[in-house]
Amino acid sequence: MSTDTDTEAETEGAEADADGDAREETTQNLTLVQAVRDALHTEMRRDDDVIVLGEDVGRNGGVFRATEGLFDEFGEDRVIDTPLAESGIVGTSIGMAAYGLRPVPEIQFSGFMYPAFDQLVSHAARFRTRSRGRFTVPMTVRAPYGGGIRAPEHHSESKEAFYVHEAGLKVVVPSTPYDTKGLLAAAIRDPDPVVFLEPKLIYRAFRGAVPEEEYTLPLGEAAVRREGADVTVVTYGAMTRPTMEAAENLVEEGYDPEVVDLRTLSPMDRETLVASFEKTGRAVVVHEAPRTGGLAGEITATLQEEALLYQEAPVVRVTGYDVPYPLYALEDYYLPSVTRVEEGIREALEFTA
């Protein structure tokens, strides 16, 4: 578990020297997508086996410019423009990984992942078990995901639960630039396949201090973004910002919410969730994916299995709706807003048996 009461706090700790003075020269003020690019640059310089491939990732630098500059530095043998064939991109990456490389395929939008789904669940996720440990698949599949940027449905949906359900896949969703670089580096170095979902709503929404040097953050470890005593609010990805804003707004009303950012969805940091719930007795789960079959259900079950006797109110879910992702006019109504999160937290806090 990582604990910070501010999204910049852990970065400030990493910047401080022995005298407690910030080492400004060792940090950069990056957006989330710039942190992706920095992680890729850093890992490709560190390890010649790291290869980037995908649609338009080379000379064009990717649709969101996440791979900009990689082609010029590392050349066409390590930054490979592919045909528009997601099954081929992921299938080729599996072969590369099984024979010792560390490919980082980019799927242009997470909604385009479905043609590659069979490769992920039938092959990448099973190679270690199928080969009895002889082969692993050190592959990191990157994909921008989530809504809020006024794009059509297949560019905006949140289907992270698909991948969490599959044993053998790790699933990561960062929410800050600092976490993005550290988690992506850890994913690339991991011996098993990782689905790295990048919330594009916050690609350029804000900046944060990111160390220039290489570093990793452990997969499977949540971050407590705000410590509190009254209610546990669990979230991840782009929903972390409205959740934090809602929590701070409710502090002015005399409430004291604790906000837990999962960061890694699989393996999930159940210990941090349970410890927080045992302290507060109440919980709210916020995600933009549809409610039915979403991660909120798994989180709720975990809390009730592990800490039922601490529970003081039903777990509240603030999520997307069980409908196809809407077009522009209704998008703001679909995504959990600060107001909806505040209402969910109040519902949990005001419940009495």
Side-chain angles (χ1 to χ4, degrees):
M1 177 187 71
S2 174
T3 302
D4 58 343
T5 56
D6 185 281
T7 54
E8 305 298 333
E10 58 187 338
T11 306
E12 291 170 1
E15 294 166 18
D17 62 16
D19 297 322
D21 297 323
R23 297 197 305 267
E24 295 295 339
E25 71 278 6
T26 66
T27 63
Q28 315 159 82
N29 199 31
L30 303 182
T31 63
L32 194 146
V33 73
Q34 288 173 332
V36 170
R37 187 187 312 144
D38 190 36
L40 292 173
H41 273 277
T42 300
E43 291 304 298
M44 292 185 78
R45 292 189 194 110
R46 189 189 69 85
D47 185 351
D48 290 341
D49 288 334
V50 178
I51 293 175
V52 169
L53 65 159
E55 300 162 8
D56 297 323
V57 300
R59 295 185 186 278
N60 193 45
V63 66
F64 290 101
R65 302 298 181 262
T67 57
E68 192 170 44
L70 294 180
F71 185 89
D72 292 336
E73 181 170 351
F74 300 104
E76 62 183 7
D77 290 337
R78 294 185 63 197
V79 185
I80 304 168
D81 281 318
T82 69
L84 277 67
E86 285 77 15
S87 180
I89 294 168
V90 175
T92 300
S93 297
I94 292 171
M96 290 178 172
Y99 282 92
L101 297 176
R102 290 187 176 270
V104 186
E106 176 184 290
I107 303 299
Q108 204 164 70
F109 291 89
S110 65
F112 300 167
M113 192 100 74
Y114 310 135
F117 196 70
D118 180 51
Q119 293 287 353
L120 279 172
V121 303
S122 298
H123 302 293
R126 301 176 187 229
F127 243 77
R128 178 188 285 275
T129 301
R130 181 181 292 151
S131 67
R132 298 185 181 181
R134 289 182 59 218
F135 293 97
T136 63
V137 180
M139 170 184 75
T140 301
V141 183
R142 292 182 44 251
Y145 102 111
I149 67 165
R150 304 298 188 260
E153 56 177 343
H154 289 306
H155 300 70
S156 301
E157 50 206 26
S158 299
K159 303 296 186 182
E160 59 269 24
F162 287 177
Y163 311 106
V164 173
H165 187 74
E166 189 62 32
L169 294 180
K170 296 177 181 177
V171 184
V172 178
V173 184
S175 66
T176 70
Y178 178 86
D179 284 3
T180 296
K181 181 176 179 179
L183 291 170
L184 183 52
I188 292 171
R189 300 181 195 188
D190 198 89
D192 291 305
V194 179
V195 177
F196 196 90
L197 300 174
E198 300 162 8
K200 58 185 180 290
L201 175 60
I202 55 173
Y203 257 164
R204 294 179 172 85
F206 59 96
R207 292 178 179 270
V210 177
E212 292 181 357
E213 62 270 17
E214 65 179 66
Y215 65 95
T216 62
L217 294 175
L219 305 185
E221 186 175 288
V224 178
R225 298 294 180 193
R226 185 187 190 283
E227 291 189 348
D230 293 342
V231 59
T232 298
V233 190
V234 184
T235 189
Y236 52 88
M239 292 299 99
T240 302
R241 284 171 66 79
T243 299
M244 286 291 291
E245 184 176 344
E248 294 300 335
N249 290 344
L250 289 172
V251 170
E252 299 176 4
E253 299 179 18
Y255 297 122
D256 188 19
E258 179 154 294
V259 179
V260 179
D261 177 1
L262 288 176
R263 302 198 295 191
T264 302
L265 307 186
S266 180
M268 189 179 294
D269 185 355
R270 288 173 166 80
E271 291 78 8
T272 295
L273 294 178
V274 170
S276 178
F277 189 62
E278 287 178 349
K279 177 171 62 173
T280 66
R282 300 169 190 266
V284 178
V285 186
V286 183
H287 61 62
E288 63 181 279
R291 173 171 296 200
T292 300
L295 266 291
E298 177 64 25
I299 293 166
T300 300
T302 297
L303 297 178
Q304 295 187 337
E305 288 170 354
E306 300 293 331
L308 178 63
L309 298 182
Y310 293 86
Q311 186 167 353
E312 298 179 15
V315 177
V316 176
R317 293 180 288 176
V318 182
T319 69
Y321 299 103
D322 293 336
V323 298
Y325 194 89
L327 295 180
Y328 321 122
L330 297 175
E331 191 171 19
D332 289 341
Y333 295 98
Y334 179 89
L335 295 173
S337 63
V338 173
T339 300
R340 282 180 60 198
V341 177
E342 288 179 5
E343 291 171 351
I345 296 174
R346 286 196 191 94
E347 181 182 344
L349 287 168
E350 294 171 3
F351 176 86
T352 56

